[in-house]
Amino acid sequence: MLNWILVDEIIYNGLKEDINNFDITTDILIDKESKSLAHMLAKEEGVIAGLNVAQRVFEILDKDVNVKINVKEGDKVSKGTVIAQIEGSTKAILNGERLALNLIQRMSGIATISRKYRDIVKDIPVRIVDTRKTTPGLRILEKYAVRVGGCYNHRYNLSEAVLIKDNHIKAIGGIKKAIDKIKNNLSHTIKVEVEVESIEGLKEAIEAGADIVMLDNMNLEDMRKAVEIGRGKVILEASGGITIEELVETAKTGVDVISVGALTHSVKALDISLIIGKIIHF
């Protein structure tokens, strides 16, 4: 599900950034009565996410533009697939083309890599989750794309959940002190996650009452030890630069969750183009 109030705000900001006062090229060249039929084409194989967002771009520019979507969110498409057709004002199509493509390309790239991660560990009982390493201003869309691809979301922002990280622990003077202070000032409905770098830190976090423990940059041997100690007591999350090549072995340690910043922070956009194929009226 998407919060369309927030999505519309992203689109309006994107249009203001791209068009500013007016589209000098389109406004001079294209008559306001001109209508066209265009199609959106996948130029490589991948998982589609964000068609509904791209559609909204054109609807905001002109409510009479008709977007026919040919595939479903989360569908894997092949090169050459026409994923949507756009019919209506030529000016609106050209005004919105770049923003619509930027968003759907980015979101589909995230969905594609998320599907790849999911499929690699589909037979192992582990969740692959994203992080807050998202493009500023686009987090709601990028985390949505992760879910479309089949992975899961970590906390949305700093207000949503507690995660006591190494710098918090250093600043306050220890894991137990941090957890005690958090729990004394926190609603009972919110879980407490703590980042640790050692087995000793894990034991301290468990004893202090953590609900979730993030194993930061631990090697596989220590992760296995952590699972033996923490199983049934806390949720265990592996984190820290885990590559796709390391995914299976990390999952086999028995951790519950693996967080992967690469799902959003270093994604290649899926190659999608928009082509005007027919002038309906000029």
Side-chain angles (χ1 to χ4, degrees), residues 171-212:
I172 197 170
I175 291 173
K176 185 179 187 308
K177 192 172 181 180
I179 292 176
D180 286 347
K181 187 167 185 179
I182 281 285
K183 291 214 164 190
N184 286 334
N185 291 275
L186 191 69
S187 166
H188 67 284
T189 63
I190 300 177
K191 291 183 178 181
V192 174
E193 180 169 8
V194 184
E195 177 186 83
V196 304
E197 298 175 345
S198 66
I199 297 298
E200 291 71 27
L202 167 68
K203 292 176 179 177
E204 187 178 353
I206 291 172
E207 289 174 7
D211 302 295
I212 309 160

Side-chain angles (χ1 to χ4, degrees), residues 36-233:
S36 297
L37 177 65
H39 61 272
M40 199 173 280
L41 180 75
K43 298 182 74 176
E44 62 181 321
E45 181 182 281
V47 177
I48 298 298
L51 272 168
N52 47 359
V53 176
Q55 178 180 12
R56 183 64 180 149
V57 171
F58 296 112
E59 290 175 348
I60 285 173
L61 286 164
D62 187 328
K63 62 181 178 59
D64 293 323
V65 170
N66 179 49
V67 180
K68 179 187 175 185
I69 295 174
N70 297 331
V71 300
K72 299 190 296 294
E73 291 284 276
D75 277 356
K76 188 172 184 178
V77 301
S78 58
K79 179 180 179 180
T81 301
V82 176
I83 60 176
Q85 294 167 305
I86 305 102
E87 183 177 345
S89 165
T90 307
K91 290 183 68 172
I93 293 171
L94 292 171
N95 287 162
E97 173 186 1
R98 186 71 268 150
L99 178 59
L101 286 175
N102 282 349
L103 295 175
I104 193 172
Q105 287 175 326
R106 176 76 180 162
M107 293 173 72
S108 296
I110 290 170
T112 299
I113 192 66
S114 296
R115 182 68 53 81
K116 188 173 183 179
Y117 271 79
R118 186 207 72 176
D119 287 349
I120 286 172
V121 295
K122 67 181 187 303
D123 297 323
I124 304 172
V126 68
R127 281 193 174 197
I128 308 300
V129 305
D130 57 22
T131 69
R132 289 188 298 115
K133 294 176 182 177
T134 54
T135 308
L138 297 183
R139 182 171 293 170
I140 187 174
L141 300 182
E142 294 186 348
K143 281 184 169 282
Y144 164 81
V146 167
R147 297 195 305 274
V148 170
C151 291
Y152 294 85
N153 296 148
H154 206 294
R155 59 178 177 165
Y156 181 75
N157 59 29
L158 296 174
S159 300
E160 189 176 72
V162 172
L163 175 47
I164 303 170
K165 295 179 71 67
D166 56 346
N167 283 331
H168 295 114
I169 293 165
K170 290 173 185 175
I172 197 170
I175 291 173
K176 185 179 187 308
K177 192 172 181 180
I179 292 176
D180 286 347
K181 187 167 185 179
I182 281 285
K183 291 214 164 190
N184 286 334
N185 291 275
L186 191 69
S187 166
H188 67 284
T189 63
I190 300 177
K191 291 183 178 181
V192 174
E193 180 169 8
V194 184
E195 177 186 83
V196 304
E197 298 175 345
S198 66
I199 297 298
E200 291 71 27
L202 167 68
K203 292 176 179 177
E204 187 178 353
I206 291 172
E207 289 174 7
D211 302 295
I212 309 160
V213 178
M214 177 188 288
L215 310 175
D216 184 46
N217 285 297
M218 277 195 185
N219 60 46
L220 293 174
E221 182 180 352
D222 281 347
M223 278 190 212
R224 284 188 281 268
K225 289 178 183 176
V227 170
E228 289 179 12
I229 294 166
R231 184 181 283 119
K233 299 173 184 175

Side-chain angles (χ1 to χ4, degrees), residues 9 30-31 74 113 115 125 135 160 201 207 234 255 259 271:
E9 184 177 357
I30 306 301
D31 186 87
I113 192 66
R115 182 68 53 81
T135 308
E160 189 176 72
E207 289 174 7
V234 290
V255 294
S259 53
D271 193 0

